[in-house]
Amino acid sequence: MSSDAWPPQLKDWVAKCLGQMTDINRQEAQAELRQVIADAFAAHTLWTTDWAGVQLKALLPQPIPQFNTANLKRKGHENSPNTKKAKKAVKTNHSTPSIDHNDRAALDKRAQRFQREHDLEREKSRVGGQAALKANHSTSHLFSNSNSRYASPSPFGQSDDPEADPNVIGWDRYTIVGTATEIFKDYLRLTSDPKPEQIRPYSVLQQTLLELKRRFRERTPYHWICSQFKSLRQDLTVQRIKNEFTVQVYEIHGRIALECGDMVEYNQCQATLKTLYELGIPGRVEEFTAYHILMLLHGRNRTELNLYVGQLSPKLKADPAVQHALNVQRALAMGNYHALFELYSSSPNMGAYIMDHFVARERAKALMVITKAYKTTPLTFIHHELAFDSLEQACDFLADHSAAHFANPGSADGQKILDCKLAGAQLPQVFEERYRKVLIKGAI
């Protein structure tokens, strides 16, 4: 069971539990942690469990020892019958070895020490679940002309520990801090505990992102770029760095994956970004909200789409990119192919890269409507109405869908007339065979 297959909420919960462990409870808590995850994996509930509400018994605060001195006997009366009965009862109940209960001051001091330790553990647990921390200066955006830099203060102030990293949520002395200096590192799945000398620190990771953007602009092969981005994301995850730079890394990789048609990596980036946005870390929330709506439209997941859109704030709905995605939803719901393909031609940001994955399906549906409505129609009409890049592309699409039946097949493409009756005869069957099921690669 690879940790790469874990949901983001589970990873955050594991990081939180590790941060709460102490030398006293570490062995017992780790064993319980492994058992809880194994049970959830066996029950297929890794993705449905509310991990934020799961509490390990080993990490619960232990009760403060209470000592009743009213019935304690002095050492001078240890040989009395009552004392012997008490000793026998203690042996029967397998109690811990006795201590000197006469030293009341020592007992009170010990109880106070336990109370302080429990208070510290509770405070650490509370702080570990709060929102994002302070971000250092980040680099300019890959697909944005803005040169603004982010410098958000920590929401809960500076740590008392001078070694604490302000970019790490719930920092403690067990947090890994990388020491590697190389800028590039190929992605490899972790098969053992990470070592600091194999992990790049935050300052090096910032240089890595700058170089990866430059290499991508220079047309470096995508498979190398993708491996480097995954390695960069892994180093951020291992060090529990969650700030605006982390958001920027996932946003840039998500856009590059869209441009290169890698929906597996895009969906992984989208899922992580959702978690980071929910932590309150700033980013291009509106842009990726629009992408998420388009992805749900691609998957024809109406139930989840309605729930997601219903939860959007008025501010989000007012954003141009989100409005465009909602207009696409409306056009699809109404079967308005004319409006749909106008929206396809005017997609903001990188929305067209997602629409590319379901535009062929919608063109086939539109053709079924057109061939029922007309006896004949010019190929030029099909070309413009369904937003094909060229007449040749329109002809190839018709041929690929068994609909290339023209009244004048020998004419030039610009003069061809589509015989709608013949063209629409096999379209329903072809549509059923090709588009009945939707394959979402890398879906979470």
Side-chain angles (χ1 to χ4, degrees):
M1 178 174 58
S2 171
S3 62
D4 289 348
W6 292 0
Q9 189 186 29
L10 172 56
K11 295 180 182 179
D12 292 340
W13 175 75
V14 170
K16 176 183 175 182
C17 291
L18 293 176
Q20 295 177 3
M21 294 179 188
T22 64
D23 292 338
I24 298 175
N25 63 19
R26 184 174 306 282
Q27 185 174 1
E28 181 183 358
Q30 287 182 347
E32 185 181 355
L33 179 70
R34 297 190 190 98
Q35 187 60 46
V36 170
I37 296 176
D39 293 343
F41 178 79
H44 304 287
T45 58
L46 284 178
W47 288 92
T48 57
T49 300
D50 181 14
W51 291 105
V54 177
Q55 176 64 56
L56 297 181
K57 296 180 180 179
L59 297 180
L60 289 172
Q62 299 299 319
I64 301 173
Q66 300 291 335
F67 300 101
N68 185 3
T69 60
N71 297 324
L72 293 177
K73 303 297 182 180
R74 294 183 179 272
K75 290 184 177 180
H77 300 281
E78 288 178 350
N79 295 327
S80 65
N82 291 337
T83 304
K84 290 181 179 178
K85 291 181 180 180
K87 286 184 177 181
K88 185 176 181 180
V90 169
K91 290 181 181 179
T92 304
N93 293 330
H94 305 286
S95 65
T96 57
S98 62
I99 62 174
D100 185 5
H101 298 289
N102 294 316
D103 191 354
R104 182 70 188 201
L107 294 176
D108 292 340
K109 186 176 181 180
R110 183 183 182 188
Q112 291 174 4
R113 177 169 56 83
F114 285 153
Q115 183 63 45
R116 286 197 302 271
E117 289 177 357
H118 299 325
D119 291 341
L120 287 174
E121 288 297 322
R122 283 196 294 270
E123 179 65 13
K124 184 187 297 182
S125 175
R126 183 186 69 81
V127 172
Q130 291 192 15
L133 293 172
K134 172 181 175 181
N136 288 350
H137 290 303
S138 58
T139 59
S140 58
H141 199 277
L142 175 58
F143 299 109
S144 173
N145 294 325
S146 173
N147 292 321
S148 62
R149 294 181 178 270
Y150 303 99
S152 298
S154 170
F156 39 88
Q158 298 293 332
S159 171
D160 293 335
D161 193 328
E163 297 181 358
D165 187 346
N167 300 293
V168 177
I169 296 179
W171 189 94
D172 56 28
R173 62 192 181 94
Y174 301 106
T175 302
I176 296 176
V177 179
T179 59
T181 57
E182 66 271 15
I183 294 179
F184 298 123
K185 185 182 73 172
D186 289 335
Y187 170 74
L188 294 173
R189 289 180 180 270
L190 292 177
T191 57
S192 60
D193 292 338
K195 300 178 181 179
E197 60 269 20
Q198 299 172 344
I199 307 299
R200 292 163 292 183
Y202 183 66
S203 58
V204 175
L205 295 178
Q206 289 178 307
Q207 299 178 35
T208 301
L209 179 61
L210 286 173
E211 286 298 314
L212 286 177
K213 292 195 293 184
R214 184 179 64 82
R215 295 290 184 94
F216 182 72
R217 293 191 186 100
E218 294 174 354
R219 303 295 181 183
T220 302
Y222 172 70
H223 66 86
W224 183 86
I225 293 287
C226 181
S227 175
Q228 294 298 321
F229 262 103
K230 292 180 70 173
S231 177
L232 171 56
R233 288 159 42 191
Q234 185 182 68
D235 284 359
L236 288 170
T237 301
V238 166
Q239 297 176 92
R240 294 189 290 169
I241 297 175
K242 295 181 180 180
N243 59 13
E244 294 178 30
F245 175 76
T246 308
V247 169
Q248 190 181 37
V249 168
Y250 279 91
E251 288 177 344
I252 292 174
H253 192 190
R255 294 189 191 95
I256 291 176
L258 279 180
E259 183 172 336
C260 298
D262 187 354
M263 301 308 289
V264 173
E265 288 302 323
Y266 168 77
N267 279 310
Q268 291 181 7
C269 291
Q270 176 78 70
T272 305
L273 282 171
K274 181 177 182 293
T275 302
L276 294 173
Y277 292 151
E278 288 174 350
L279 289 173
I281 305 177
R284 301 293 291 271
V285 181
E286 297 83 2
E287 177 186 349
F288 281 83
T289 297
Y291 295 159
H292 190 50
I293 294 173
L294 294 176
M295 282 298 299
L296 292 173
L297 291 172
H298 170 33
R300 293 191 290 198
N301 193 337
R302 294 187 181 91
T303 302
E304 185 176 348
L305 177 62
N306 291 335
L307 290 173
Y308 183 73
V309 172
Q311 295 172 356
L312 297 180
S313 66
K315 181 180 178 181
L316 267 178
K317 291 182 178 180
D319 181 79
V322 178
Q323 281 188 347
H324 173 273
L326 294 176
N327 288 335
V328 172
Q329 177 195 13
R330 188 176 298 108
L332 286 173
M334 297 176 64
N336 188 346
Y337 63 82
H338 177 79
L340 174 65
F341 290 105
E342 282 190 343
L343 292 167
Y344 173 62
S345 301
S346 60
S347 297
N349 300 320
M350 306 189 72
Y353 286 100
I354 299 177
M355 294 186 70
D356 282 341
H357 290 275
F358 63 85
V359 71
R361 178 186 73 205
E362 300 307 320
R363 279 171 173 161
K365 287 175 63 176
L367 271 176
M368 288 192 289
V369 175
I370 291 173
T371 53
K372 289 180 179 179
Y374 301 97
K375 290 184 178 180
T376 60
T377 186
L379 180 61
T380 53
F381 173 78
I382 302 295
H383 167 215
H384 294 294
E385 190 68 12
L386 303 188
F388 286 105
D389 292 335
S390 63
L391 287 168
E392 183 181 1
Q393 185 187 32
C395 280
D396 291 342
F397 183 86
L398 290 172
D400 191 45
H401 289 73
S402 302
H405 297 279
F406 300 101
N408 52 344
S411 303
D413 288 346
Q415 306 297 324
K416 284 183 178 178
I417 303 297
L418 186 69
D419 187 330
C420 293
K421 184 176 181 179
L422 294 176
Q426 299 185 48
L427 272 175
Q429 180 181 350
V430 173
F431 183 88
E432 182 69 15
E433 293 173 354
R434 293 196 180 187
Y435 306 114
R436 183 171 60 88
K437 293 183 178 180
V438 181
L439 176 61
I440 307 294
K441 295 182 179 180
I444 301 300

